[in-house]
Amino acid sequence: MIDLLTALLLTSAYAQDIGVLEGIAFDGLTGLPLQEVAVRVGERSVETDEDGYFRAELPAGEYTVYLDAPGLNDGTVEQVY
């Protein structure tokens, strides 16, 4: 089971219509971070690092986060605003 911890933060360094989505993908059973997981949000695609961390700058809005990793069945994880 893969869990995703995310937070959508607006940064003051950018115009208010740009946000930053940051998160950590981790194994829900062991609590260990998952590296090299493909994370797709809108038209952006990023990969988690060795700590399971990812970061994407996006236009402000509502998104569905998709993960692509071995053992993950449906890939849709969470909606973020």
Side-chain angles (χ1 to χ4, degrees):
M1 179 177 158
I2 296 175
D3 288 324
L4 178 69
L5 174 64
T6 59
L8 182 61
L9 306 171
L10 285 178
T11 61
S12 60
Y14 299 99
Q16 288 189 348
D17 60 344
I18 300 295
V20 176
L21 177 70
E22 297 178 287
I24 299 171
F26 60 94
D27 185 304
L29 297 175
T30 67
L32 296 174
L34 298 171
Q35 58 185 343
E36 298 180 0
V37 173
V39 180
R40 186 169 47 92
V41 183
E43 295 183 15
R44 292 270 303 163
S45 183
V46 295
E47 202 170 85
T48 60
D49 66 12
E50 64 275 358
D51 297 320
Y53 173 80
F54 68 91
R55 181 181 192 276
E57 293 182 12
L58 303 160
E62 182 176 330
Y63 296 93
T64 300
V65 178
Y66 296 91
L67 297 182
D68 184 17
L72 183 63
N73 293 329
D74 69 6
T76 302
V77 178
E78 188 172 321
Q79 287 194 331
V80 294
Y81 305 93

